[in-house]
């Protein structure tokens, strides 16, 4: 099983929960000294099972098919396959000369698919890297990790609405997985999720307006035709929607910001709760749906009935609103490296990272470990440890006490989000992949 931030959730979901910070005033120096308290003592270093060294800068992403790990380099763009047991490179294929000729990748049914930044889609045989076909460019925009549903490769190039960036129209389209032939196309969607069991694609549908806020309904699209089998009103972007672990239910916010549950087979609404604007996360065990609000609150809902179990203000700092439930506890981490908005707000530095543990039953705070090093990842769980990326290292903390148990160093200025696959942690840094058996 692969755990990451697009993790599903491809990439990466950017969302800040910030609360108002007090003005330091005359006590500013004392407050600044508080931000500079002692760091957490470093735990013992783990020795990697193996280390793979790439010749060029990696793109900080990883996928797998049970036989190989696949990643790509930035410049010149290559596709790479690595043996997950030994760390030996299996093959490397150059796919272009410029940075824009590379992009995010996915693997399915023995084929590696890549959507390049220039809009070109390629298919390579997973066994040896041989190119099977190339299509496009299918459009302009920023590519998401492609989604393979049945015999269709679904591609989403996000449109640009930034006044300071060149406008990109974006596109959502479906290509024949065997030939690359385009089957259909539609306006781009910032909601882009597969429903594997139903063999459907979850995405926004309908005509796209010029407004920056996309308020089109979410639909379950037939990947072969792009036609929606059902639609539901939805507010927000990719953070304001999530799927049950079995894919049978989708949780989203309607136009009045009410948390709703819909069956993904026929699109029937199963329940609707009170208004709760924020980011949605369905627990991996299927029991609970969590909503993190912009005010720093975390609310827990029964996944079957929509009944609110509890709601707590969990942090006044900046927080990644993607809770991880594991072993009767919920874990949260700071976002973008800032555990204290105060130090950064007044231009005095003070960047920090933290890991926060709550009771899954009540939301009560159990422990919080603060660091003077930034925090770059959502939490991952393995056994009795919760694992987080801090600056140049990956750290493991005891799920019971919050004490650090071990760390793995990358040698870089900062580390990327680690992956846990079948009991092995794989950490991707600028030019290396490291493996540690958990």
């Amino acid at each position: 099983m692969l755990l990451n931030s697009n993790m599903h959730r491809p990439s990466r979901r950017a969302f800040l929960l910030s609360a108002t910070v007090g003005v330091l005033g005359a006590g500013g120096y004392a407050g600044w000294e508080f931000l500079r308290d002692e760091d957490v003592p470093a735990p013992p270093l783990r020795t990697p099972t193996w280390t793979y060294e790439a010749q060029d800068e990696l793109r900080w992403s990883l996928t797998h098919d049970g036989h190989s790990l696949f990643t790509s380099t930035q410049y010149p763009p290559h596709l790479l396959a690595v043996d997950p047991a030994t760390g030996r490179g299996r093959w490397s294929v150059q796919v272009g000369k410029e940075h824009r000729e590379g992009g995010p990748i996915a693997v399915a049914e023995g084929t590696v698919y890549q959507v390049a930044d220039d809009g070109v889609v390629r298919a390579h045989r997973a066994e040896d890297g041989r190119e099977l076909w190339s299509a496009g460019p299918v459009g302009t925009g920023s590519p998401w990790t492609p989604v393979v549903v049945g015999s269709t490769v679904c591609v989403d190039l996000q449109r640009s609405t930034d006044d300071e960036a060149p406008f990109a129209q974006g596109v959502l389209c479906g290509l024949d997985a065997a030939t690359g032939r385009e089957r259909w196309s539609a306006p781009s969607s910032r909601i882009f999720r597969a429903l594997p069991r139903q063999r459907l694609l979850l995405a926004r549908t309908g005509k796209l307006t010029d407004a920056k806020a996309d308020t089109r309904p979410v639909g379950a699209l037939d990947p072969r035709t792009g036609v929606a089998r059902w639609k539901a009103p939805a507010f927000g972007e990719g953070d304001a929607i999530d799927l049950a672990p079995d894919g049978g239910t989708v949780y989203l916010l309607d136009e009045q910001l009410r948390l709703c549950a819909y069956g993904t087979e026929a699109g029937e609404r199963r329940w609707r709760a009170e208004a709760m604007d924020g980011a949605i996360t369905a627990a991996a065990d299927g029991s609970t749906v969590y909503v993190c609000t912009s005010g720093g609150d975390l609310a827990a809902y029964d996944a079957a009935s929509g009944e609110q179990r509890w709601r707590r203000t969990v942090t006044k700092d900046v927080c990644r609103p993607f809770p991880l439930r594991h072993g009767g506890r919920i874990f949260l981490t700071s976002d973008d490296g800032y555990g204290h908005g105060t130090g950064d707000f007044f231009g005095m530095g003070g960047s920090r990272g933290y890991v926060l543990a709550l009771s899954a039953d009540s939301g009560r705070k159990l422990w919080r470990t603060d660091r003077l090093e930034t925090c770059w990842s959502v939490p991952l769980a393995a056994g009795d440890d919760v694992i987080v990326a801090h600056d140049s290292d990956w750290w493991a903390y005891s799920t019971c006490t919050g004490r650090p148990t071990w760390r793995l160093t990358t040698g870089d200025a900062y580390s990327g989000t680690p992956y846990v696959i079948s009991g092995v942690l794989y950490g991707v840094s600028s030019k290396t992949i490291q493996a540690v058996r958990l």
Side-chain angles (χ1 to χ4, degrees):
M1 182 178 181
L2 171 64
L3 302 175
N4 91 26
S5 64
N6 161 134
M7 227 136 330
H8 63 216
R9 309 171 183 289
S11 186
R12 302 173 181 248
R13 302 190 298 178
F15 185 94
L16 296 180
L17 300 183
S18 56
T20 303
V21 296
V23 178
L24 293 182
Y29 181 76
W32 170 234
E33 286 299 310
F34 171 76
L35 294 180
R36 297 177 62 245
D37 60 2
E38 292 184 5
D39 202 0
V40 177
L45 279 171
R46 286 285 296 270
T47 301
T49 306
W50 55 255
T51 300
Y52 170 81
E53 296 187 4
Q55 294 183 349
D56 304 297
E57 296 283 330
L58 296 171
R59 276 188 171 257
W60 300 82
S61 61
L62 199 68
T63 188
H64 74 106
D65 63 356
H67 303 287
S68 296
L69 303 173
F70 302 96
T71 187
S72 59
T73 60
Q74 299 187 46
Y75 179 83
H78 284 76
L79 287 177
L80 309 173
V82 178
D83 186 322
T86 65
R88 296 191 183 97
R90 286 184 166 163
W91 52 259
S92 174
V93 175
Q94 186 168 341
V95 296
K97 296 181 180 179
E98 302 296 331
H99 181 277
R100 289 184 55 79
E101 294 178 277
I105 60 176
V107 60
E109 302 296 331
T111 304
V112 181
Y113 301 95
Q114 182 176 51
V115 183
D117 292 342
D118 62 5
V120 173
V121 184
R122 298 181 179 86
H124 292 256
R125 194 162 63 185
E127 180 183 0
D128 56 13
R130 182 172 70 87
E131 183 175 300
L132 301 176
W133 53 259
S134 176
V138 297
T140 59
S142 302
W144 280 30
T145 301
V147 170
V148 183
V149 185
S151 63
T152 305
V153 182
C154 301
V155 174
D156 188 28
L157 301 177
Q158 294 183 44
R159 67 169 181 154
S160 170
T161 57
D162 190 342
D163 294 336
E164 298 180 359
F167 178 77
Q169 183 65 39
V171 68
L172 174 68
C173 63
L175 309 180
D176 185 290
T179 65
R181 178 181 61 84
E182 185 175 296
R183 290 177 167 171
W184 57 270
S185 66
S188 64
S189 171
R190 290 182 180 270
I191 294 175
F192 185 61
R193 304 285 292 275
L195 299 173
R197 193 177 72 183
Q198 295 80 7
R199 295 205 166 194
L200 297 173
L201 176 71
L202 200 65
R204 290 199 180 275
T205 65
K207 185 178 180 181
L208 186 63
T209 67
D210 293 333
K212 290 186 177 181
D214 193 345
T215 58
R216 294 176 296 160
V218 164
L221 311 184
D222 184 325
R224 295 165 298 181
T225 64
V227 176
R229 293 190 182 176
W230 56 262
K231 299 179 182 180
F235 177 85
E237 298 187 359
D239 296 324
I241 190 169
D242 204 7
L243 292 170
D246 63 1
T249 308
V250 58
Y251 307 99
L252 51 81
L253 300 175
D254 67 10
E255 67 276 13
Q256 297 182 37
L257 305 182
R258 294 171 295 193
L259 178 63
C260 301
Y262 288 86
T264 55
E265 187 68 43
E268 79 283 3
R269 193 179 70 207
R270 294 176 172 170
W271 52 259
R272 184 171 61 193
E274 65 179 14
M276 178 64 70
D277 183 13
I280 300 172
T281 300
D285 64 3
S287 65
T288 312
V289 182
Y290 298 99
V291 180
C292 268
T293 75
S294 56
D297 283 5
L298 180 66
Y301 293 85
D302 184 281
S305 66
E307 179 184 0
Q308 186 180 104
R309 292 174 173 170
W310 50 262
R311 177 174 177 171
R312 298 283 187 273
T313 299
V314 296
T315 181
K316 294 182 180 179
D317 297 322
V318 182
C319 171
R320 265 189 185 84
F322 312 126
L324 168 72
R325 178 168 177 155
H326 177 73
R329 290 173 169 81
I330 299 169
F331 302 96
L332 290 162
T333 58
S334 55
D335 192 33
D336 287 352
Y338 298 112
H340 272 265
T342 309
D344 181 63
F345 182 81
F346 286 92
M348 298 183 295
S351 297
R352 300 172 57 136
Y354 64 78
V355 183
L356 174 66
L358 312 171
S359 166
D361 292 333
S362 64
R364 178 176 58 88
K365 176 182 173 182
L366 299 177
W367 54 260
R368 171 169 161 157
T369 300
D370 286 271
R371 296 289 316 284
L372 292 180
E373 290 184 311
T374 51
C375 178
W376 297 108
S377 72
V378 298
L380 298 178
D384 295 330
D385 290 325
V386 57
I387 303 167
V388 173
H390 283 297
D391 276 358
S392 60
D393 297 342
W394 295 288
W395 281 53
Y397 297 90
S398 167
T399 57
C400 295
T401 66
R403 292 172 182 160
T405 57
W406 57 266
R407 62 191 171 99
L408 180 67
T409 187
T410 68
D412 287 349
Y414 65 98
S415 54
T417 298
Y419 300 78
V420 175
I421 306 170
S422 300
V424 178
L425 179 141
Y426 298 97
V428 183
S429 53
S430 62
K431 282 192 174 184
T432 65
I433 302 173
Q434 297 183 78
V436 172
R437 185 161 296 280
L438 301 174

